[in-house]
Amino acid sequence: VENQGDKKPAPDMEKQRREKWYKDNWWKQDKYKDDWKKNGKNGKGWKAPTQAEAEAGKYPKPVGEAEKTKREDWYKNADDEWWKQPECIEDFFQKGPEGRHWPAKTLNDSELGKGKENPAPAAEKKKREDWYRQNWWKQPKYSEDFHKNGPQGAAWTGKNDDPMVDKEWWKQAPFIENWTKCMKPKSQPEGQEWWKQPQYVEDFQLAGPKGRKWTADNETSGIGGKGDKPAPSDEQKKREDWYGDNWWKAPKYAMDWAKNRGKGEQWRAANKDAADDKKRGAS
């Protein structure tokens, strides 16, 4: 596929910006939009102050009028560019001019697969084609990659420095939903030595004692990086010792192995200092 841009991970500051956006915009997921469409002002989930309260189905009181108005305005306009949905992008790349969804004149025609019978004007289709070529990574398979691989995936963490590319692609509903799933406990059984997962090894290496993830008392706090309730000092010491012996489990060393396999310098190094020293590497 042409014009795929730079698939390298986005800088940490950019990832942090996206995480904050996801936390503030959880209500843009399809299930909350559907709640608003079906129930209007009587809906429960879309008016909740937080996603946790929405999922629990109960909260003391809904958000204020200004916030409700903001959300309703977004829901009303959410379908204006329906052809940017992942399924339409996939239809374009799989079927091209023969696609029956992306070329349609209206959302209803697209859903019925009548893109050939009721196509959009030529200029409109050209506009969509150009957008699709610049936003190839929004196809469902890349969303699935994120869902399976979390922070190591190439979906919401992707980077592209091309000023012509839509840098806000990660704000689509599928990516919000996938990020939300990514933020839920993953240890099996839940909570058992959760801090041994790669993202916590990375937090330890990058932030040391100030890390707000690896020092957390439980996995839920660790995922969110709240740092509001740290683990006891003896527990933290146990984790530090483990991280020292298992430095190579951090994502960047795993990426070195995935990309270079036997030729990788970092993951084969004798210790972390050697791995981070470009002159020494695996020698």
Side-chain angles (χ1 to χ4, degrees):
V1 179
E2 296 180 355
N3 300 322
Q4 290 196 358
D6 181 359
K7 295 188 207 173
K8 295 178 181 178
D12 287 340
M13 288 294 290
E14 173 63 12
K15 286 193 282 188
Q16 290 174 13
R17 182 175 79 91
R18 294 179 190 178
E19 288 196 26
K20 182 181 185 304
W21 189 92
Y22 285 136
K23 292 175 182 177
D24 294 339
N25 292 270
W26 56 269
W27 49 270
K28 291 183 178 179
Q29 295 178 65
D30 286 342
K31 62 182 178 181
Y32 300 113
K33 182 174 69 174
D34 291 342
D35 176 44
W36 174 80
K37 283 184 175 180
K38 182 179 180 180
N39 303 304
K41 295 187 182 298
N42 293 322
K44 298 292 184 181
W46 73 270
K47 295 187 297 183
T50 67
Q51 183 169 359
E53 290 172 301
E55 292 181 348
K58 53 185 177 181
Y59 41 88
K61 61 180 181 178
V63 293
E65 290 302 317
E67 178 66 16
K68 279 195 288 187
T69 299
K70 181 183 77 172
R71 295 182 186 183
E72 286 197 274
D73 287 343
W74 187 89
Y75 292 139
K76 291 174 184 176
N77 298 308
D79 291 331
D80 285 353
E81 293 188 319
W82 53 265
W83 51 270
K84 288 187 177 181
Q85 292 301 312
E87 293 74 17
C88 289
I89 307 174
E90 185 175 58
D91 183 48
F92 170 78
F93 281 103
Q94 290 187 353
K95 304 291 182 58
E98 299 302 314
R100 304 191 64 83
H101 302 285
W102 75 267
K105 186 175 183 179
T106 67
L107 171 60
N108 185 58
D109 288 333
S110 175
E111 291 177 340
L112 295 174
K114 293 186 176 181
K116 300 288 287 185
E117 294 83 351
N118 300 310
E124 173 64 18
K125 288 198 291 185
K126 177 64 167 58
K127 180 184 76 172
R128 296 179 190 178
E129 288 181 21
D130 292 342
W131 188 89
Y132 289 142
R133 290 193 175 95
Q134 293 172 352
N135 294 271
W136 54 271
W137 55 81
K138 297 181 184 179
Q139 297 175 71
K141 62 183 178 181
Y142 297 110
S143 177
E144 182 180 354
D145 171 58
F146 169 82
H147 177 59
K148 288 182 178 179
N149 301 308
Q152 284 74 52
W156 70 275
T157 58
K159 168 190 172 186
N160 197 313
D161 292 324
D162 185 345
M164 295 300 292
V165 171
D166 173 15
K167 295 182 183 294
E168 304 298 291
W169 56 268
W170 47 273
K171 289 186 177 181
Q172 293 183 79
F175 294 102
I176 306 174
E177 182 177 356
N178 284 335
W179 179 84
T180 299
K181 291 178 180 177
C182 184
M183 295 299 286
K184 291 183 178 180
K186 297 178 181 59
S187 58
Q188 297 295 330
E190 185 175 320
Q192 182 160 337
E193 297 196 314
W194 54 268
W195 47 271
K196 288 186 177 181
Q197 296 174 73
Q199 61 266 41
Y200 304 108
V201 184
E202 180 180 53
D203 182 51
F204 171 77
Q205 293 179 359
L206 293 176
K210 294 182 179 181
R212 298 171 67 86
K213 295 181 180 180
W214 75 268
T215 57
D217 184 56
N218 57 70
E219 186 172 7
T220 300
S221 295
I223 292 173
K226 298 177 182 178
D228 51 352
K229 186 180 179 183
S233 56
D234 58 337
E235 172 63 19
Q236 289 191 36
K237 178 61 169 60
K238 180 182 77 172
R239 297 179 189 178
E240 288 184 21
D241 292 341
W242 189 88
Y243 291 141
D245 294 334
N246 294 271
W247 57 270
W248 49 273
K249 293 186 178 181
K252 69 175 182 178
Y253 306 116
M255 289 179 65
D256 177 50
W257 175 83
K259 182 179 180 180
N260 303 304
R261 299 297 170 122
K263 295 181 180 180
E265 294 289 337
Q266 291 183 309
W267 73 270
R268 294 190 297 128
N271 53 58
K272 185 177 183 301
D273 289 339
D276 295 339
D277 187 341
K278 293 183 179 180
K279 294 181 179 180
R280 294 170 63 187
S283 60

